[in-house]
Amino acid sequence: MSDSSFIRSEMLQPQIPPVSERGIVKWLRENLFSGWLNSILTILALVALYFALSNSLPWVLNGVWDAGSLNDCRAILAARGEDAVGACWAVLSRWNQFIYGFYPVELYWRPTLAAALLIVALAPVLYFGLRRPTTYMTGGIGLLLLLSLFGLKTDTWHIGLAAAVFGALTAVAWLLPKKLLYVTLAFPGIGFWLLWGGSAWGPVAVMIGLGLVGALALWTIPRIGMILAALLAALLFLSWFMDPISSVLDFFGMILGWVLAPETVASILRPVAGLRDLLPLQPHVSGGLQSLLPVSLEQVDSDQFGGFLLAFVIGVTAISASLPIGIVLALGRRSDMPLVKMICVGFIEFVRGVPLITMLFTASLLLQYFLPPQTNFDLILRVIILVTLFAAAYIAEVVRGGLAALPRGQYEAADALGLDYWQAQRLIILPQALKISIPGIVSSFIGLFKDTTLVALVGLADPLQGIRKIVLADTDWKGIYWEPFIFVGCIFFVVCFSMSRYSMYLEQKLKTDHR
Amino acid sequence: MTVAMDAPKDAFRLSQLIYDTRYRSYTIQVIVLLVFVAFLAWLLNNTAANLAAKDKDIDFSFLWARAGYDIDQQLIPYTNDSTHFRALLIGLLNTMAVAILACISATVLGVTVGILRLSKNWLVARLMTVYVEVFRNVPLLLWIVLCFALFSELPKEPKDFKVTQEMVDSWAGPEEGRIYPAASMIFMDTVAVTNRGTNVPKPLLHRPLGVIDVGGIPINLSTIAVLAVFGASLWVNRRIRAHAKAVQEATGVRPVTWWKSLAVIFLPTIVMLAVLGLHFEVPAFPANEAGVSKGFNFQGGINVAHSFTALLIALTVYSATYIAEGVRAGILAISKGQTEAAYALGLRPGRTMSLIILPQALRVIIPPLISQYLNITKNTTLGMAISYLDLKGTLGGITLNQTGRELECMLLMMLIYLCISLMISAVMNVYNNSVKLKER
């Protein structure tokens, strides 16, 4: 009983949206020309982009890769045309100096192997012992290493050695990925030996000493408590690496010298003078092992280090050493004990208040005043120590931010569970606090790696200033300046950019809240 | 039946010092104190022994000896007959000059880039991301050295700015226009960028108020007077705004103040400058009657060394990326609900930004901004790589090398930098407290 005159019996087909509401036009309207301000910005950006690219692209792409000197380069370019512009990428034939500094050419396999092992040592830390990524990474790095060793014209024996080592490591990564952590623990010794050479037993004895100290501490803490265990461990550490007996004897000699004649003091101390040669234990162990089974590599002096090799040695050492020191400083700064807190605050604020350059100059000029007379050790080591202390203060502030961001309830809950201070820190507080501080920690690391270029100012051959100037001093390449900058800048960019991307991955991975 | 009793009072045992949490912290602190004092004593003892072995002592009297070296950029008078202390002051002023200018320009650039990176404009946002990532992932030293190389290698020599006899001879006459030398100055013929420095106009006064000398540091009374007038104008402007606010509270209608503010802020200062007779001395080559330039370099104006310009530009573009990231993070940290609430109240987008978002975002932005200012100040020491004579260059560089007093120079320098850093963070913390969220 419908009284309508017309009822549509079938639906209209949907029409496609108008041109301005679909496809590329819609995207353009929304993203580039959504208003007069945005349109102006877009046009300005396009003009700027055009100028930048039209000036740089021909120069980059038209570059000369095969020339013996800058003059050759210019001749080749002139032959291409009257106003041909182009970079002279041929200067990158000196790439090996930018990477390895003055390291002996026939020994290039050693830093290369050390770098590959470093990445394997990092793998279990970076990927939490996950089997698949760890194995792929180890295997991939192994292949890359073999390729680069071929490229570096290494002799067959060492290539075979590297292949065997990496075959074994890949197998370990597949079967027992968590066990790769032992490579991480041993890497400081291996890396040092590969880079500087010398007797293998020196680093081995150092690692044994550190292992003994750690084992002693772990074994004694549950039995006699934290304080006594720490004192015992410190005693072992001192007698392994240093000479506390001589210092104590000197100290007593000094006290006695105030009241007694020098001859009397000497005669009193004579019976125990033989103890002076007893310590440190480490040279005895390494010397004994070396005489039993001599294993050594050709020694390379520190002044042969340079380029990115130097930047990585300083950067990696300082990064890995500054994190634990920074965490301890942060915990000290939040400690209930006023004295501990005061010392930590004083150290952190002092270091953060002065520029890094002053710390580097302290390493090169002042450390000789603060250390016992006749102590003279390597400039690289001194720089590493001060850069580490510098970075540790910054990391401490980042970690303190993470600690402060934790709700109080977490601390109280840990106390309520009956955990002692270190258990609470290890199991409850630090995992959460460090997770919060990851972006800050990684950006500290990036800053530290970039700051390794500053060592040029105390006379070390960093890639940017040291090596570049050496290349420019060559008559063949005098007057070239863009290309080395671009090369060095690109490598720094790749390293720093991948670090920052990894920190983003880590943040995502460790994110447990549901926001 | 149980009876409440006091806990048994044990006699104090020595082992409680180690195992009882009530006493343990004292034990630890005593040990720490002993170790710390022993460490300090060891350091002092070593220092004394080393100084004795080198037949040196700690003596700051070298600061009053003749310095004997020249410094290009001097904000207060200095000759090579001045003392090392005077050189230190020059260095400190140079450090402060480049640091303050870099802080200002990096903030302007950084805030702009940070906001543009959040722009809805796809192209602009991408370009800004590229800028930020490229500049902050490459060492600052590279940018400084690169800027310096650009300035000292690319531009023309001063002689290219000269009008030569041949140019005058081949000149057709006034109808052809003026004579153009091989290189031309920029900014309406006022600034000349040469490979030997940038020549900029010098502000001069026809009727200066004079200079008084306070402890060897000349104080320009004209500058003080202009600053005082400007400060007074700012204060009057604040009163006007306060009055406008009071009227708004009382009647609900805010009086229009923008033209009053503009006039009050700028007019008195402009009048003051006009009274003093401000004019600019443009750098130029002296010329003879025919128009041929004489001499080897520009006369008049100020010659800004390339080390200063390069350091300033590199510090600006590098630090601006960090400031931009801070600004972006601060704006992103404000939840979307705030914007939506502001729109629901009927606020327009511009006012939403200035009244709702920015005041809250500032709380997130300021702390990293403080540390960026500190970083800029500390990074000025990198000017050493391009021979910029800041504090590190004078006290920690030439003075140190000439007198051989490493210990004194380095300690003094560290102390000065420490004081600067603590002062900046104190000032900025006061500001930070004033914008901080007032909590329960």
Side-chain angles (χ1 to χ4, degrees):
Chain A
M1 45 165 259
S2 157
D3 55 351
S4 312
S5 56
F6 172 75
I7 293 176
R8 185 189 291 281
S9 60
E10 60 187 37
M11 297 300 285
L12 274 179
Q13 285 300 312
Q15 279 196 329
I16 51 170
V19 175
S20 63
E21 284 300 316
R22 67 184 147 96
I24 185 130
V25 179
K26 175 172 192 261
W27 186 88
L28 281 177
R29 275 173 62 107
E30 279 185 354
N31 290 302
L32 295 181
F33 300 99
S34 59
W36 60 269
L37 184 65
N38 261 342
S39 307
I40 294 175
L41 279 178
T42 306
I43 291 167
L44 280 181
L46 281 176
V47 170
L49 205 59
Y50 172 76
F51 269 103
L53 289 183
S54 65
N55 281 323
S56 63
L57 267 189
W59 183 81
V60 172
L61 298 178
N62 202 18
V64 179
W65 284 92
D66 193 18
S69 71
L70 188 58
N71 289 336
D72 286 359
C73 252
R74 289 188 176 144
I76 293 174
L77 281 175
R80 284 188 192 168
E82 188 63 19
D83 50 353
V85 287
C88 188
W89 298 119
V91 70
L92 300 188
S93 61
R94 304 284 292 264
W95 65 273
N96 54 348
Q97 281 202 324
F98 279 103
I99 305 285
Y100 294 103
F102 319 108
Y103 212 82
V105 179
E106 68 280 5
L107 299 181
Y108 276 175
W109 63 273
R110 273 162 48 179
T112 318
L113 181 61
L117 282 176
L118 168 70
I119 298 175
V120 174
L122 284 177
V125 184
L126 294 183
Y127 294 118
F128 319 100
L130 293 176
R131 167 174 301 185
R132 206 170 280 273
T134 315
T135 316
Y136 289 164
M137 193 152 170
T138 314
I141 290 298
L143 286 181
L144 264 181
L145 171 70
L146 293 184
L147 281 180
S148 44
L149 287 184
F150 272 116
L152 292 168
K153 302 189 181 62
T154 313
D155 52 319
T156 334
W157 194 82
H158 288 121
I159 293 183
L161 182 76
V165 167
F166 266 80
L169 284 176
T170 313
V172 172
W174 182 252
L175 296 173
L176 306 156
K178 305 233 167 185
K179 297 288 175 209
L180 273 190
L181 215 54
Y182 288 106
V183 180
T184 315
L185 288 180
F187 180 76
I190 301 173
F192 177 84
W193 183 54
L194 278 176
L195 289 175
W196 273 272
S199 161
W201 299 114
V204 167
V206 170
M207 298 307 284
I208 290 178
L210 291 179
L212 282 180
V213 170
L216 180 74
L218 284 185
W219 188 73
T220 47
I221 284 177
R223 287 173 177 76
I224 55 172
M226 192 73 198
I227 298 179
L228 290 182
L231 287 180
L232 268 183
L235 206 61
L236 179 61
F237 182 85
L238 282 180
S239 38
W240 194 271
F241 294 108
M242 290 172 207
D243 189 6
I245 292 184
S246 295
S247 311
V248 171
L249 289 182
D250 288 343
F251 180 72
F252 277 116
M254 188 180 78
I255 301 274
L256 291 176
W258 290 341
V259 286
L260 299 174
E263 304 84 48
T264 337
V265 176
S267 65
I268 292 176
L269 292 180
R270 190 165 301 128
V272 286
L275 292 175
R276 281 178 185 270
D277 301 332
L278 205 61
L279 296 180
L281 290 172
Q282 188 249 336
H284 294 303
V285 174
S286 52
L289 287 170
Q290 174 72 11
S291 59
L292 278 179
L293 179 66
V295 179
S296 59
L297 285 174
E298 190 181 328
Q299 185 123 16
V300 180
D301 287 334
S302 283
D303 50 7
Q304 288 172 291
F305 282 55
F308 279 98
L309 173 61
L310 180 71
F312 273 98
V313 166
I314 295 178
V316 170
T317 322
I319 283 173
S320 39
S322 65
L323 186 60
I325 301 178
I327 292 175
V328 170
L329 280 173
L331 290 178
R333 191 167 183 169
R334 288 180 61 84
S335 160
D336 300 330
M337 294 179 258
L339 189 73
V340 175
K341 185 174 175 173
M342 223 165 59
I343 293 176
C344 289
V345 170
F347 176 81
I348 293 174
E349 291 303 323
F350 172 76
V351 170
R352 281 164 44 92
V354 298
L356 177 57
I357 288 191
T358 58
M359 298 287 277
L360 291 177
F361 273 83
T362 306
S364 76
L365 294 176
L366 289 199
L367 223 51
Q368 48 166 334
Y369 285 104
F370 296 145
L371 294 176
Q374 283 95 45
T375 319
N376 193 10
F377 56 99
D378 211 44
L379 180 58
I380 294 188
L381 190 55
R382 284 183 281 169
V383 163
I384 288 179
I385 291 175
L386 282 184
V387 171
T388 305
L389 293 180
F390 186 78
Y394 281 81
I395 300 233
E397 280 302 275
V398 174
V399 174
R400 184 174 76 111
L403 289 172
L406 279 196
R408 251 205 95 59
Q410 296 290 327
Y411 292 89
E412 287 162 358
D415 286 345
L417 285 175
L419 301 178
D420 70 19
Y421 180 78
W422 289 107
Q423 284 174 327
Q425 297 298 337
R426 192 161 52 86
L427 300 172
I428 309 236
I429 308 298
L430 279 182
Q432 302 184 64
L434 289 182
K435 190 177 83 181
I436 301 175
S437 359
I438 285 173
I441 292 178
V442 176
S443 62
S444 297
F445 285 168
I446 294 176
L448 172 59
F449 185 64
K450 284 187 295 182
D451 281 345
T452 55
T453 47
L454 267 61
V455 298
L457 302 177
V458 291
L460 294 178
D462 85 308
L464 180 59
Q465 283 290 78
I467 299 290
R468 194 179 60 89
K469 281 189 174 159
I470 288 167
V471 171
L472 289 195
D474 186 342
T475 45
D476 283 348
W477 300 111
K478 200 169 161 52
I480 195 164
Y481 61 100
W482 276 103
E483 293 84 350
F485 275 127
I486 293 175
F487 178 63
V488 173
C490 280
I491 295 185
F492 268 108
F493 178 81
V494 167
V495 174
C496 298
F497 189 68
S498 32
M499 272 204 263
S500 75
R501 291 294 124 154
Y502 177 75
S503 101
M504 287 183 185
Y505 156 82
L506 206 57
E507 239 178 297
Q508 283 299 318
K509 168 138 190 123
L510 297 180
K511 202 177 207 170
T512 45
D513 56 353
H514 302 287
R515 275 193 293 168
Chain B
M1 190 180 132
T2 50
V3 182
M5 286 201 314
D6 285 343
K9 280 204 180 77
D10 288 342
F12 178 76
R13 295 185 313 275
L14 214 54
S15 65
Q16 278 181 320
L17 282 180
I18 294 177
Y19 297 115
D20 192 324
T21 46
R22 283 172 297 176
Y23 306 110
R24 192 164 56 188
S25 69
Y26 295 106
T27 320
I28 295 178
Q29 292 192 62
V30 168
I31 295 176
V32 167
L33 182 68
L34 286 180
V35 172
F36 185 63
V37 169
F39 178 70
L40 278 190
W42 183 72
L43 280 188
L44 289 178
N45 186 32
N46 287 338
T47 312
N50 283 317
L51 283 174
K54 290 186 180 165
D55 207 16
K56 283 185 173 177
D57 53 351
I58 294 189
D59 182 7
F60 284 93
S61 62
F62 72 93
L63 282 176
W64 312 111
R66 178 177 179 271
Y69 58 91
D70 287 312
I71 302 177
D72 277 348
Q73 181 186 322
Q74 28 185 285
L75 299 180
I76 57 174
Y78 170 89
T79 63
N80 56 16
D81 282 331
S82 307
T83 59
H84 282 296
F85 182 74
R86 189 87 174 169
L88 180 163
L89 274 186
I90 300 272
L92 184 59
L93 285 176
N94 285 350
T95 296
M96 297 312 285
V98 79
I100 291 173
L101 287 179
C103 282
I104 296 172
S105 50
T107 310
V108 173
L109 183 62
V111 171
T112 317
V113 171
I115 292 175
L116 283 184
R117 228 189 136 178
L118 288 171
S119 153
K120 276 185 293 183
N121 189 318
W122 183 87
L123 185 66
V124 172
R126 290 299 176 290
L127 274 184
M128 291 304 142
T129 310
V130 170
Y131 161 70
V132 167
E133 293 294 348
V134 165
F135 274 82
R136 70 192 222 134
N137 282 317
V138 171
L140 170 62
L141 194 61
L142 188 145
W143 298 121
I144 292 178
V145 181
L146 184 64
C147 274
F148 187 66
L150 281 183
F151 271 109
S152 47
E153 312 241 344
L154 280 190
K156 307 279 190 191
E157 289 177 42
K159 71 171 167 31
D160 295 328
F161 290 83
K162 289 168 78 169
V163 177
T164 58
Q165 187 65 48
E166 296 87 69
M167 288 179 188
V168 175
D169 292 343
S170 61
W171 187 45
E175 62 272 17
E176 193 193 312
R178 45 178 283 227
I179 305 173
Y180 287 99
S184 54
M185 296 166 73
I186 53 174
F187 293 125
M188 303 183 0
D189 274 353
T190 54
V191 176
V193 185
T194 75
N195 62 353
R196 276 201 254 160
T198 309
N199 294 290
V200 298
K202 183 179 191 176
L204 287 178
L205 298 176
H206 285 306
R207 294 172 287 278
L209 292 179
V211 173
I212 52 168
D213 196 82
V214 180
I217 300 167
I219 308 257
N220 192 330
L221 286 179
S222 318
T223 316
I224 303 276
V226 171
L227 285 181
V229 168
F230 190 66
S233 321
L234 286 183
W235 182 78
V236 173
N237 180 44
R238 272 180 69 146
R239 299 299 311 154
I240 292 177
R241 289 176 65 94
H243 175 71
K245 195 175 175 199
V247 171
Q248 185 181 20
E249 302 262 312
T251 65
V253 182
R254 189 180 176 90
V256 182
T257 56
W258 64 266
W259 57 270
K260 285 187 213 162
S261 291
L262 268 186
V264 163
I265 292 177
F266 292 110
L267 264 187
T269 313
I270 293 172
V271 169
M272 182 74 188
L273 288 176
V275 168
L276 290 174
L278 177 75
H279 62 284
F280 288 94
E281 184 191 52
V282 176
F285 279 99
N288 61 12
E289 309 81 58
V292 179
S293 310
K294 298 180 296 186
F296 296 104
N297 208 341
F298 282 90
Q299 301 276 308
I302 304 172
N303 183 286
V304 183
H306 281 324
S307 51
F308 177 81
T309 327
L311 186 60
L312 180 60
I313 292 179
L315 274 174
T316 302
V317 292
Y318 178 81
S319 312
T321 60
Y322 285 89
I323 294 178
E325 282 300 271
V327 169
R328 190 175 79 107
I331 295 177
L332 284 179
I334 307 306
S335 76
K336 205 165 155 47
Q338 297 286 329
T339 318
E340 287 164 357
Y343 287 163
L345 288 174
L347 290 177
R348 280 171 278 123
R351 292 184 75 87
T352 304
M353 196 57 163
S354 62
L355 294 175
I356 309 287
I357 307 294
L358 274 186
Q360 301 185 66
L362 271 186
R363 291 184 197 122
V364 188
I365 294 173
I366 300 271
L369 195 65
I370 299 175
S371 63
Q372 265 322 302
Y373 288 166
L374 288 173
N375 280 345
I376 289 178
T377 314
K378 287 183 280 179
N379 281 339
T380 53
T381 47
L382 267 63
M384 191 189 158
I386 52 173
S387 321
Y388 180 65
L389 284 183
D390 63 346
L391 188 61
K392 177 76 195 70
T394 57
L395 176 66
I398 305 179
T399 295
L400 187 152
N401 287 337
Q402 280 192 1
T403 59
R405 297 205 167 265
E406 300 106 347
L407 204 59
E408 293 91 336
C409 286
M410 292 296 294
L411 289 182
L412 197 58
M413 195 172 69
M414 284 187 167
L415 194 71
I416 294 176
Y417 276 116
L418 202 58
C419 289
I420 298 177
S421 297
L422 292 180
M423 252 157 29
I424 296 180
S425 44
V427 170
M428 293 306 283
N429 276 332
V430 169
Y431 179 63
N432 191 24
N433 281 335
S434 71
V435 296
K436 207 167 73 175
L437 191 62
K438 306 290 186 290
E439 276 180 324
R440 289 153 283 163

